[in-house]
Every structure is written in structure tokens, then in C-alpha cells.
């Protein structure tokens, strides 16, 4: 890892983030330029912003630090979005931040809130990557209406009126953008022969995550084999073996799992599991209360979400999981659009 970071520094130099305004504003914007001293021409640059809670427990050799992602968003910038000047590369950054997330806080070294900006771009040889901890606080410019829910379900648009005043409003996310986000996430959209639309998550949609989980499973199995070889107390192989079975199903689902959610004239149907052979759950429109996202797991710096359909009785039906925040929001938008279309057609139909 050290050698890789040295190679990055030799190729890209001292990368900096130049903030347009300091600090970034909760209920406002974080924008500026990532400046790279050398010229790079990537196909795309992926930029993300995380609100992270870092906790430290124990002391000395027993000290343990963990990070939990509280909020996360991501954008993919095309090559033509970059600026080039004096043989340098500038990556534009512009994120809207929800007002109901915590601001930066380093007052307690054992419990910190960190806002982290990350950028990466695949290149020949050493890939570009950079990360910056940025100050984010509530300010006098904080917009209390810019909540997590508002940003989740709509896009923020800022215009300047004739007097030079900035006006911010929300509008539905463009359908083409939603489709592009689903495509990048690996979610296929298919017509149903009997009428309707299906959203399909194919096998091995996360090869890196699947490979890492398989490696962990093999190591865990080796630990159990050593325990049995050394005649360890039976409780240890039993407990470790139970966790091994849980991990085995998880790895099997990562490698062979498919998920499918269908919407037709009568309601929604969801089915998933290894080879897509899990139980099928159907939800008629009359019983559908809401479609939302839930955080379900975290792998490294990435938080993954599951799109759930909520019934009138409060029951939750899980559809497609292991989606990044923007991908999950795109699926929610697509599902809500299809559901609304069918409900409007049904209400307009003559009795």
C-alpha cells in the first residue's frame, strides 16, 4: 500500500481541494475545485461525499477505531466536465448537503464527525485517487427545507433572479438521468410479457465484494479446521461453524443471487435469493403505503442500501439490495413512476 501511494504521489503530485466557500454549509452547498498538478485525461471521475462517525474504544494495544457512514452521495463526472489550465487538471465539485445531518465535530477524539470528500479515476497504470476531510457546519445560509428526504426525492436547482439573488427550488429527477443511474448500477429494465415492467439485478453485480467475501470465508474455514485439528473445546468450532454457515449463504448470494421486482396492473411482486429461487412476495396497490430505502450494510467506505416497499400495516417487503445511495434513489424514483402510471390508468378506467 505504501509503494502504491508513493507511485500515486510521483505521478499526480500534491493534489489539493480549493473550496469556493469555507465552510461547506449544511442545508446548502459544498463546492470548489480539486486541483491536480499534472494533466490527466480519464474517461470519468467518480466523486463522493461522506458524513462519517469515527469512534475509538479501548486504549493502548486494545484501542480500536471504527467508522460508520451516516450519509453518502456520489457523482460520476464525464471527461468533458474537467478543466485544463497550465498543464494542470481541475475537477469541479458541487454537492448539496442536507441540513439534518451533523456538522464536523472533532471536540471528542474518541467520537468525531468527519465530512470526507473522495475522488477516483481509472487510468492506465496507477489510478488517480484523493481524499480530503472538509469542514461542514450549520451557517446563516442554511436552508431548513433542504433535508435528507428532500434531497433523496428531488434535484436541487439554483437560479439567479434579475436582482442577483439566488433562488433555490426542487424539481423531480429527470427520467433519463434515473435510467442512466440504474444502468451504471447494473440494474436491467425489462418488459413483462403479460404487461408491466421488471427491474432485474443480475448475478455477480459486485465482483469485488464477492471476491473479498469468498476470501474471508476460506480463511474462516481454515481457522475452524485448525481448531478441530488442535482438539479445541467443542464450543469454539460450533460457534465459529454457525457463523461460517451464515457467511456461506451470504457468499452464495453474492455470487449466484439475482433479484427481480415487477410492477404490473395489479401491484408489485418481488423475488430474489440464490439463482432467484427465493420466496415470491406480492403486494397489491391497495396495500402499498410507500417505497423507500434502508441502510443495510457497509463495506469499507461504501454504504449499501435496500429498496423496500412498505405496506399499510407497516410490513416491509425488500426488493433489490446492495445498492449505493444514488442507485437506490434511482430505483425508488423508477418504481414510483411506474406505480403512479398504473394507479392513474386504473383510476381513469370506466367503471
Amino acid at each position: 500500500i505504501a509503494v502504491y501511494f508513493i507511485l500515486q504521489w510521483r505521478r499526480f503530485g500534491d493534489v489539493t481541494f480549493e473550496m469556493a466557500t469555507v465552510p461547506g454549509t449544511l442545508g446548502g452547498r459544498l463546492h470548489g475545485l480539486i486541483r491536480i498538478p499534472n494533466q490527466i485525461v480519464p474517461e470519468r471521475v467518480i466523486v463522493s461525499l461522506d458524513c462519517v462517525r469515527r469512534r475509538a474504544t479501548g486504549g493502548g494495544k486494545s484501542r480500536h477505531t471504527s467508522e460508520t457512514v451516516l450519509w453518502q452521495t456520489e457523482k460520476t463526472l464525464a471527461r468533458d466536465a474537467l478543466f485544463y489550465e497550465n498543464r494542470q487538471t481541475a475537477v469541479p465539485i458541487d454537492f448539496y448537503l442536507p441540513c439534518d445531518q451533523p456538522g464536523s465535530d472533532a471536540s471528542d477524539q474518541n467520537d468525531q464527525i468527519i465530512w470526507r470528500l473522495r475522488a477516483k479515476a481509472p487510468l492506465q497504470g496507477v489510478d488517480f485517487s484523493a481524499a480530503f476531510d472538509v469542514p461542514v457546519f450549520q451557517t446563516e445560509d442554511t436552508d431548513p427545507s433542504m433535508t435528507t428526504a428532500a434531497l433523496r426525492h428531488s434535484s436541487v436547482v439554483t437560479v439567479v433572479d434579475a436582482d442577483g439573488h439566488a433562488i433555490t427550488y426542487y424539481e423531480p429527477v429527470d427520467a433519463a438521468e434515473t435510467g442512466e443511474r440504474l444502468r451504471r448500477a447494473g440494474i436491467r429494465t425489462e418488459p413483462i410479457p403479460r404487461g408491466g415492467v421488471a427491474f432485474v439485478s443480475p448475478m455477480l453485480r459486485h465482483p469485488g465484494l464477492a471476491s473479498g467475501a469468498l476470501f474471508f470465508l476460506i480463511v474462516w474455514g481454515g481457522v475452524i479446521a485448525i481448531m478441530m485439528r488442535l482438539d479445541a473445546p467443542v464450543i469454539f468450532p460450533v460457534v465459529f461453524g454457525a457463523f461460517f454457515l451464515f457467511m456461506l449463504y451470504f457468499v452464495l448470494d453474492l455470487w449466484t443471487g439475482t433479484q427481480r421486482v415487477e410492477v404490473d396492473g395489479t401491484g408489485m411482486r418481488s423475488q430474489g435469493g440464490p439463482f432467484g429461487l427465493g420466496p415470491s412476495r406480492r403486494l397489491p396497490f391497495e396495500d402499498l403505503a410507500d417505497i423507500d430505502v434502508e441502510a443495510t450494510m457497509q463495506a469499507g467506505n461504501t454504504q449499501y442500501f435496500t429498496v423496500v416497499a412498505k405496506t399499510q400495516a407497516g410490513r416491509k417487503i425488500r426488493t433489490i439490495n446492495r445498492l449505493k445511495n444514488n442507485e437506490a434513489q434511482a430505483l425508488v424514483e423508477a418504481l414510483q413512476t411506474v406505480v403512479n402510471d398504473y394507479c392513474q390508468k386504473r383510476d381513469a378506467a370506466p367503471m
Side-chain angles (χ1 to χ4, degrees):
I1 293 174
V3 169
Y4 190 81
F5 279 124
I6 291 173
L7 292 175
Q8 277 192 326
W9 177 79
R10 286 177 60 87
R11 180 173 184 182
F12 305 114
D14 292 323
V15 181
T16 59
F17 176 47
E18 182 182 290
M19 298 180 65
T21 58
V22 181
T25 302
L26 290 170
R29 297 168 67 193
L30 172 76
H31 58 124
L33 294 172
I34 294 178
R35 295 193 177 276
I36 306 168
N38 297 309
Q39 193 171 79
I40 64 172
V41 189
E43 289 296 323
R44 65 188 182 278
V45 179
I46 302 170
V47 293
S48 59
L49 182 64
D50 310 333
C51 177
V52 177
R53 174 167 239 160
R54 177 189 287 171
R55 286 178 170 170
T57 57
K61 294 183 178 180
S62 300
R63 187 174 178 81
H64 173 70
T65 301
S66 62
E67 292 190 351
T68 303
V69 177
L70 304 179
W71 181 83
Q72 185 174 72
T73 189
E74 182 179 282
K75 290 182 180 180
T76 299
L77 304 177
R79 179 194 302 174
D80 56 9
L82 309 185
F83 302 103
Y84 298 97
E85 51 185 23
N86 300 325
R87 299 188 60 80
Q88 296 186 353
T89 306
V91 181
I93 301 297
D94 195 357
F95 286 108
Y96 286 95
L97 315 182
C99 65
D100 51 357
Q101 295 296 331
S104 303
D105 185 359
S107 58
D108 184 351
Q109 292 300 309
N110 295 323
D111 190 0
Q112 302 181 61
I113 299 294
I114 299 170
W115 284 81
R116 182 173 298 143
L117 174 67
R118 293 180 290 123
K120 60 182 179 181
L123 296 166
Q124 288 187 346
V126 180
D127 291 340
F128 168 76
S129 67
F132 309 90
D133 290 351
V134 293
V136 173
F137 299 101
Q138 296 267 0
T139 71
E140 60 182 12
D141 296 324
T142 293
D143 180 358
S145 68
M146 196 178 293
T147 62
T148 301
L151 293 177
R152 177 179 298 167
H153 296 297
S154 56
S155 294
V156 182
V157 177
T158 301
V159 296
V160 178
D161 62 17
D163 297 325
H165 300 129
I167 301 174
T168 300
Y169 63 96
Y170 303 92
E171 64 179 21
V173 178
D174 182 69
E177 182 182 344
T178 297
E180 178 62 19
R181 279 192 281 169
L182 290 176
R183 187 193 65 78
R184 288 200 300 262
I187 305 298
R188 300 197 309 264
T189 304
E190 301 175 351
I192 304 174
R194 63 180 182 275
V197 180
F199 300 91
V200 182
S201 172
M203 290 185 189
L204 204 58
R205 193 162 51 84
H206 296 289
L209 183 62
S211 299
L214 178 61
F215 176 77
F216 180 84
L217 182 69
I218 293 172
V219 172
W220 197 265
V223 171
I224 296 174
I226 292 174
M227 288 180 179
M228 298 178 67
R229 181 76 175 176
L230 298 178
D231 295 325
V234 67
I235 185 65
F236 292 103
V238 168
V239 173
F240 275 61
F243 185 74
F244 179 86
L245 294 176
F246 169 78
M247 279 296 301
L248 178 63
Y249 178 82
F250 178 67
V251 171
L252 183 65
D253 188 47
L254 281 172
W255 281 87
T256 67
T258 65
Q259 296 164 312
R260 182 182 182 92
V261 55
E262 299 178 351
V263 182
D264 58 21
T266 60
M268 295 177 58
R269 187 179 75 89
S270 176
Q271 187 173 19
F275 302 101
L277 299 177
S280 175
R281 301 176 178 86
R282 186 155 192 87
L283 179 62
F285 289 138
E286 294 80 6
D287 197 26
L288 177 62
D290 191 18
I291 303 173
D292 206 347
V293 300
E294 287 187 350
T296 49
M297 64 174 288
Q298 181 178 330
N301 294 318
T302 304
Q303 189 174 33
Y304 291 98
F305 296 81
T306 298
V307 174
V308 296
K310 299 179 181 179
T311 68
Q312 298 289 350
R315 189 166 58 95
K316 297 177 182 178
I317 296 178
R318 287 170 171 78
T319 60
I320 295 179
N321 60 15
R322 291 190 286 274
L323 295 165
K324 295 180 181 179
N325 185 31
N326 291 350
E327 299 167 351
Q329 299 307 330
L331 181 58
V332 169
E333 292 154 10
L335 286 171
Q336 287 177 335
T337 299
V338 177
V339 168
N340 291 338
D341 286 347
Y342 274 109
C343 289
Q344 290 173 3
K345 291 177 182 177
R346 185 186 59 179
D347 294 340
M351 300 298 292

